[in-house]
Amino acid sequence: MNAHKLNQPLYKVLFIALLLVFKLNPLFAQGDWELRTDKEGIKVYTSTVPDSKVKAIKVDAEFDAEASQLVALIMDVNSSAGWVYHTKSATVIKQVSASELYYYSEVNLPWPAANRDFVAHLTVNQNPDTKVITIDGPAVSGMVPVKQGIVRIEHSVGKWVITPVGSDKIKVEYTIHVDPAGSLPSWLVNMFATEGPVKIFKGIRSQLQKPVYRNTELAFVVN
């Protein structure tokens, strides 16, 4: 059998991934963000994305914690429903390693909108020189069959950047752009763009105080 034909699906996946990277990364780097909310040390920005009706979101905040604590929380997918805005459920479907996994999540939306769901691929990387940690979490296709009555999100690019700024203190920047698929009322989109990020980051602040995340040591993270 022709090896080239066998590899065609892989080429297609890589091509789509590269399109997303080149389309969104320049936006995140431009700095043309508009401040929408500044509450309790949590700043939420939005920015337009070419060829998209939905704006990208950036959230900035500082936490009194070590980087490993936040990484442990983000990778603890099963706890997501307790702090990620409107998350109905989240389950790991493939644990590649301690620093890489795939998970499925369903987002609970108020009537009359249908719930959304997605499969995301989380990977953790740390710069050995700066100790800055990047967690990428793009949506990926397949792995979980589409469910009746739930709209599947196929296109989403999210990134966490965790920077140590002192003893037991980190600066966190989260950027995300999601195509929610289907139609959604503008009030609902605005709610998720402004209220959602603040509640998520307040949830993070609360979760980091739990004993399970304190004094966390991860083999792949240097505090």
Side-chain angles (χ1 to χ4, degrees):
M1 189 176 291
N2 191 311
H4 175 70
K5 291 183 178 179
L6 282 173
N7 288 331
Q8 280 184 340
L10 176 59
Y11 292 152
K12 290 180 180 178
V13 170
L14 291 174
F15 178 71
I16 293 172
L18 286 172
L19 282 179
L20 286 172
V21 169
F22 284 117
K23 181 179 179 180
L24 292 173
N25 279 0
L27 166 69
F28 291 162
Q30 283 175 1
D32 58 342
W33 297 94
E34 178 184 354
L35 180 64
R36 296 287 301 275
T37 307
D38 187 351
K39 295 180 179 178
E40 300 179 45
I42 302 167
K43 295 181 178 181
V44 181
Y45 304 83
T46 60
S47 182
T48 56
V49 176
D51 303 320
S52 175
K53 296 180 180 179
V54 181
K55 292 184 177 182
I57 297 171
K58 180 175 73 169
V59 192
D60 285 339
E62 289 190 359
F63 296 111
D64 294 323
E66 293 186 334
S68 57
Q69 290 177 248
L70 181 53
V71 174
L73 173 62
I74 294 170
M75 298 301 282
D76 184 12
V77 170
N78 294 331
S79 74
S80 297
W83 61 275
V84 179
Y85 191 63
H86 274 264
T87 293
K88 181 177 180 180
S89 64
T91 308
V92 174
I93 55 177
K94 183 178 181 181
Q95 186 82 47
V96 180
S97 67
S99 60
E100 181 182 3
L101 60 82
Y102 294 82
Y103 74 96
Y104 167 83
S105 183
E106 181 179 345
V107 180
N108 188 31
L109 297 186
W111 186 88
N115 283 3
R116 264 54 176 176
D117 68 356
F118 61 89
V119 176
H121 181 200
L122 286 182
T123 54
V124 183
N125 291 285
Q126 184 174 35
N127 184 306
D129 298 321
T130 64
K131 295 185 180 179
V132 173
I133 296 168
T134 301
I135 304 178
D136 288 299
V140 296
S141 300
M143 301 189 76
V144 174
V146 174
K147 299 181 180 182
Q148 186 175 2
I150 301 177
V151 178
R152 175 60 50 87
I153 293 175
E154 297 283 359
H155 304 294
S156 172
V157 178
K159 176 178 289 188
W160 298 86
V161 178
I162 306 167
T163 305
V165 292
S167 179
D168 296 331
K169 186 178 286 291
I170 53 176
K171 178 182 178 182
V172 180
E173 179 183 283
Y174 180 56
T175 48
I176 186 168
H177 178 255
V178 180
D179 178 353
S183 60
L184 289 175
S186 58
W187 64 265
L188 182 57
V189 173
N190 289 332
M191 183 177 73
F192 271 80
T194 55
E195 179 180 308
V198 172
K199 289 195 172 182
I200 289 173
F201 269 60
K202 288 175 70 174
I204 290 174
R205 187 172 287 155
S206 177
Q207 292 288 323
L208 290 175
Q209 301 306 311
K210 292 185 175 182
V212 66
Y213 301 115
R214 288 183 180 175
N215 302 315
T216 300
E217 293 186 5
L218 300 174
F220 55 94
V221 172
V222 177
N223 288 313

